[in-house]
Amino acid sequence: MAIIFDDIAGAESLYPFTATRSAADIRIGILTIREKWPLIIEKYFADEMQDICINANIIPTKASAASMLKGGQLNSVNEVEGYRVLEHPWQIFQWNDWALRNDFELLTSGRVSSKISGTNTVIGNGNIFIEPGAIVEHATLNTTTGPVYIGKNAEVQEGCLIRGPFSLGEGAVLKMGSKIYGATTIGPYCTAAGEVKNSVMFGYSNKGHDGYLGDSVIGEWCNLGAGTSNSNVMNTAGTVKVWDNGLKEFAPVGLKCGLLMGDYSRAATNTSFNTGTVIGVGCNIFGTGFPPKLVPDFTWGTERYTFEKLLKDINNWKALKGQQISEHETAMLKQLYFKN
């Protein structure tokens, strides 16, 4: 069976995350949308051999997959129970609780977790799954509010306080004394620390020090300097407005929204982000005062990155995790850079 994605879906409205990827490669819950589909098909519909074409921004469930395989058209969020279409970037953290629970069931049903070390304190029903090679010692894991998933070769260091639902991706590290509130996803090979609540880090990004990250989404290869924090609620307790790239205007999103940061962007030590801030791709945030609520792609302080320096800085950060910028990434960034 082939699963074919329509990559156009959500391209503008899901900015900044679809500036550098298909909507299918957005992480929500434990997995990306692209990773969810074949697992659901294999688990529940192994005998169905037809090819299906899916809009990249449809978040799959067993029910929605069944409808698609029967030739159904999924055009309304309420058409099938549990079926959702990702149309705005803030929905990533708003729906992360729902997605985490679905992915936890998908990944762990019928499997046996690695043994949980006796040095940990477990509160609640113990709905915890630890993949092989993961290290979890002297942590408090509270499952009364949702499950806890620890990926392969990930590490939860001593003194961490975790309330589910929570996912720590493959090779990721949660540093000593971190305070994690659900629903939070720390993606593969990320480093996280400090206080994090209801946020998603896609992969290979760092929040390695104290500071608050709440109701936020951080792309890949980002870095938040020590002490960096965001506001997630207006001082007036009013409705938060966030840049909607599809509408080309600031749109109301509810009472809470923190930071939405595109791939390859970084923030200097002690940066403070206003409620509902959108940071584009390849930005270096530094300077006095609050950054604007919308920072365009390739911003360097108050100027624009030169393309050569952008690639050099990205490669320097990738080298810290044993990687280097690829030809595909270079071509993609070049196209985006000279398009703006």
Side-chain angles (χ1 to χ4, degrees):
M1 172 181 288
I3 301 172
I4 304 165
F5 291 99
D6 174 7
D7 286 353
I8 297 175
E12 286 295 323
S13 64
L14 286 165
Y15 176 87
F17 305 112
T18 46
T20 49
R21 63 173 56 75
S22 163
D25 295 311
I26 286 176
R27 187 174 304 280
I28 179 169
I30 301 173
L31 303 166
T32 67
I33 293 173
R34 189 183 301 275
E35 291 168 340
K36 298 176 198 286
W37 276 106
L39 290 177
I40 289 174
I41 299 299
E42 180 181 355
K43 190 176 185 70
Y44 300 114
F45 307 101
D47 295 333
E48 302 281 352
M49 298 304 295
Q50 67 190 74
D51 294 350
I52 53 176
C53 183
I54 302 168
N55 282 344
N57 58 339
I58 293 176
I59 306 172
T61 62
K62 180 181 178 181
S64 59
S67 182
M68 292 290 288
L69 288 167
K70 292 175 182 177
Q73 297 297 315
L74 303 179
N75 298 313
S76 168
V77 171
N78 298 318
E79 187 172 339
V80 176
E81 182 180 357
Y83 161 60
R84 304 189 187 191
V85 179
L86 197 62
E87 297 178 316
H88 303 288
W90 48 86
Q91 291 171 331
I92 298 170
F93 72 79
Q94 290 176 340
W95 295 350
N96 201 46
D97 187 297
W98 167 82
L100 273 166
R101 295 174 194 272
N102 285 343
D103 284 354
F104 186 88
E105 173 67 19
L106 178 64
L107 286 170
T108 67
S109 177
R111 300 176 60 212
V112 177
S113 170
S114 296
K115 184 178 179 181
I116 301 172
S117 170
T119 67
N120 297 294
T121 299
V122 177
I123 303 170
N125 60 12
N127 203 9
I128 300 167
F129 196 93
I130 300 177
E131 296 283 4
I135 300 171
V136 186
E137 299 287 353
H138 299 281
T140 298
L141 310 173
N142 188 341
T143 62
T144 59
T145 51
V148 173
Y149 176 86
I150 309 298
K152 181 180 178 182
N153 298 326
E155 181 180 7
V156 177
Q157 295 182 350
E158 55 271 26
C160 290
L161 305 174
I162 298 170
R163 290 176 64 92
F166 172 70
S167 169
L168 187 66
E170 179 177 350
V173 176
L174 194 61
K175 295 178 71 176
M176 290 191 300
S178 299
K179 296 179 289 185
I180 308 297
Y181 300 84
T184 290
T185 297
I186 308 299
Y189 303 99
C190 287
T191 299
E195 184 178 1
V196 184
K197 174 252 181 186
N198 192 202
S199 294
V200 177
M201 296 174 67
F202 282 3
Y204 297 94
S205 290
N206 303 316
K207 181 199 175 297
H209 305 281
D210 286 342
Y212 177 71
L213 183 70
D215 300 288
S216 296
V217 183
I218 307 298
E220 292 190 345
W221 298 105
C222 296
N223 188 76
L224 302 179
T228 294
S229 292
N230 73 267
S231 168
N232 63 334
V233 179
M234 300 287 289
N235 284 344
T236 61
T239 300
V240 181
K241 290 187 176 182
V242 178
W243 178 255
D244 185 315
N245 205 56
L247 298 175
K248 305 300 181 187
E249 63 183 31
F250 286 88
V253 304
L255 296 179
K256 291 187 177 182
C257 184
L259 172 65
L260 306 175
M261 176 176 277
D263 293 350
Y264 310 108
S265 288
R266 302 174 298 282
T269 298
N270 290 325
T271 301
S272 295
F273 289 103
N274 270 312
T275 315
T277 295
V278 176
I279 304 297
V281 174
C283 295
N284 192 350
I285 307 298
F286 61 90
T288 59
F290 289 94
K293 289 193 64 173
L294 174 62
V295 178
D297 298 337
F298 311 120
T299 295
W300 187 85
T302 58
E303 303 175 13
R304 182 173 168 86
Y305 252 120
T306 65
F307 188 65
E308 293 74 17
K309 180 170 175 54
L310 170 74
L311 296 184
K312 181 176 182 294
D313 289 352
I314 290 173
N315 209 41
N316 287 343
W317 280 99
K318 297 196 76 164
L320 295 178
K321 292 183 185 282
Q323 295 198 26
Q324 61 182 10
I325 194 167
S326 68
E327 291 183 4
H328 170 75
E329 287 174 295
T330 300
M332 176 269 296
L333 288 166
K334 184 176 182 179
Q335 182 179 28
L336 183 61
Y337 184 91
F338 290 104
K339 173 184 175 182
N340 289 356

